[in-house]
Amino acid sequence: MLKETKHTDLFCEYYEKWITVYKKGAVRKVTMNKYLMTHQWLVKLIPDLRLSECTRIMYQQLLNDYAECHERQTTMDFHHQLKGAILDAVDEGLIERDPTRKAIIKGKTPAFKKIKYLNQFELHNLLASLTLQSEVNWDYFILLVAKTGMRFSEALALTPNDFDFAHQTLSVNKTWNYKDAGGFQPTKNKSSSRKIQIDWQTVTQFSALVKNLPPDEPFFIKTKVYNSTVNDILSRRCEEAKIPIISIHGLRHTHASLLLFAGVSIASVARRLGHASMTTTQKTYLHIIQELENKDVDLVMRSLSGLC
């Protein structure tokens, strides 16, 4: 398909072919959708640009136009998705020089998004309101996410074999494709594949719960599952406990926040959440980290004043 491409072909058409050749069937559907979205933006922003016209100035103008309505990180992702295709075009002689060299990434200032999470008292009230019967229900799902900080798709994919009750660990090594037809999928990234230490109470509850269930089948999945369905159940539980309403993802934030306030290191929290790097954790929980730093300053000042 790409062998027939000429340097006079439209850039957006070349990119569409490149996606089909190099990405189709090689990346997850969610990633593929991002490449397709990038192609749609090319059709919108540079519909008539030909490969031979793709210079550094033209490419920088493309990034600038995209950055006008996107945050810097989103513009960076856009740049990375284009760069692979462009470098291949350079290698094939379709573009004379690499136009992505020294590209400057701009973008809108991100709006401050304060994450929603529960404090320890509110979480205690939520967990106390759950109906934990002898059979699997969504209240157990809420409990497990609150205790482990797992992502929604990770918790859905759990099977009895993922528990190591003797060592009090839970293996996260796959996700459930709840957005489409179901079935197991790889984890979000390499760091997301991890073992999570669980407390003895959770061990006791789940060892009895999954004892006679098929070892390799996800025990939370009975039929098609929607994120909104589980969030609605959690909303009702929050109302019953008379606490702020949060989402399942908000329980993940709650888990991380409580660990940070308890003095657990950012590195340990990052590993437990399956973040690709500590930078992700620091960015996500910046305001909590800043609150902790303010407490540290107060503690330092009190310690120093006691030396006189």
Side-chain angles (χ1 to χ4, degrees), residues 274-287:
H275 281 164
S277 70
M278 283 192 292
T279 304
T280 304
T281 315
Q282 289 169 323
K283 286 181 179 178
T284 307
Y285 302 102
L286 179 62
H287 72 283

Side-chain angles (χ1 to χ4, degrees), residues 188-202:
K188 185 176 181 180
N189 51 57
K190 188 177 179 180
S191 301
S192 295
S193 186
R194 63 201 186 278
K195 288 185 183 293
I196 301 175
Q197 203 75 31
I198 53 179
D199 62 280
W200 66 267
Q201 190 175 17
T202 303

Side-chain angles (χ1 to χ4, degrees), residues 84-119:
I86 290 173
L87 292 180
D88 283 345
V90 172
D91 288 345
E92 295 296 326
L94 299 170
I95 297 176
E96 190 174 343
R97 294 185 183 88
D98 177 14
T100 69
R101 189 174 66 87
K102 295 185 178 179
I104 297 170
I105 309 301
K106 305 175 184 178
K108 290 166 53 180
T109 302
F112 178 71
K113 302 167 188 173
K114 188 166 184 178
I115 60 172
K116 292 185 71 174
Y117 62 92
L118 303 176
N119 61 36

Side-chain angles (χ1 to χ4, degrees), residues 24 32 50 55 60 68 84 86 105 133 139-140 150 172 179 194 227 234 244 248 254 265 271 277 282 305 308:
K24 189 175 181 180
M32 187 64 179
R50 301 191 181 278
T55 62
Q60 185 64 59
E68 283 185 9
I86 290 173
I105 309 301
Q133 304 165 336
D139 283 17
Y140 276 110
M150 281 189 293
V172 178
K179 292 182 179 179
R194 63 201 186 278
N227 187 279
L234 176 56
I248 289 293
T254 297
S265 71
R271 281 195 298 271
S277 70
Q282 289 169 323
S305 62
C308 298

Side-chain angles (χ1 to χ4, degrees), residues 66-250:
Y66 183 83
E68 283 185 9
C69 51
H70 294 89
E71 294 181 4
R72 187 179 184 279
Q73 183 57 54
T74 309
T75 306
M76 180 70 80
D77 295 340
F78 179 74
H79 165 62
H80 284 157
Q81 289 187 336
L82 289 174
K83 190 171 182 177
I86 290 173
L87 292 180
D88 283 345
V90 172
D91 288 345
E92 295 296 326
L94 299 170
I95 297 176
E96 190 174 343
R97 294 185 183 88
D98 177 14
T100 69
R101 189 174 66 87
K102 295 185 178 179
I104 297 170
I105 309 301
K106 305 175 184 178
K108 290 166 53 180
T109 302
F112 178 71
K113 302 167 188 173
K114 188 166 184 178
I115 60 172
K116 292 185 71 174
Y117 62 92
L118 303 176
N119 61 36
Q120 191 165 357
F121 175 76
E122 291 165 341
L123 180 61
H124 176 78
N125 285 350
L126 171 64
L127 298 186
S129 73
L130 299 179
T131 303
L132 303 174
Q133 304 165 336
S134 58
E135 295 184 352
V136 176
N137 61 15
W138 289 116
D139 283 17
Y140 276 110
F141 185 90
I142 292 169
L143 172 70
L144 197 58
V145 173
K147 288 285 191 84
T148 62
M150 281 189 293
R151 298 178 178 92
F152 181 71
S153 58
E154 293 172 343
L156 286 178
L158 288 176
T159 68
N161 273 351
D162 293 325
F163 287 93
D164 184 346
F165 296 117
H167 296 94
Q168 292 186 215
T169 60
L170 179 57
S171 294
V172 178
N173 48 40
K174 56 194 174 301
T175 62
W176 186 257
N177 184 16
Y178 67 93
K179 292 182 179 179
D180 294 309
F184 293 123
Q185 288 189 143
T187 53
K188 185 176 181 180
N189 51 57
K190 188 177 179 180
S191 301
S192 295
S193 186
R194 63 201 186 278
K195 288 185 183 293
I196 301 175
Q197 203 75 31
I198 53 179
D199 62 280
W200 66 267
Q201 190 175 17
T202 303
V203 167
T204 303
Q205 289 169 312
F206 279 85
S207 59
L209 190 69
V210 305
K211 186 177 181 181
N212 298 314
L213 298 179
D216 295 317
E217 294 181 16
F219 51 86
F220 283 120
I221 302 295
K222 301 292 186 292
T223 58
K224 171 75 173 172
V225 177
Y226 297 93
N227 187 279
S228 57
T229 302
V230 186
N231 277 329
D232 286 344
I233 294 171
L234 176 56
S235 294
R236 291 199 296 272
R237 297 293 179 268
C238 289
E239 288 174 350
E240 291 165 5
K242 295 181 172 57
I243 60 174
I245 294 176
I246 62 168
S247 64
I248 289 293
H249 199 70

Side-chain angles (χ1 to χ4, degrees), residues 298-308:
D298 292 340
L299 181 60
V300 169
M301 292 301 102
R302 286 201 302 271
S303 300
L304 292 177
S305 62
L307 296 175
C308 298

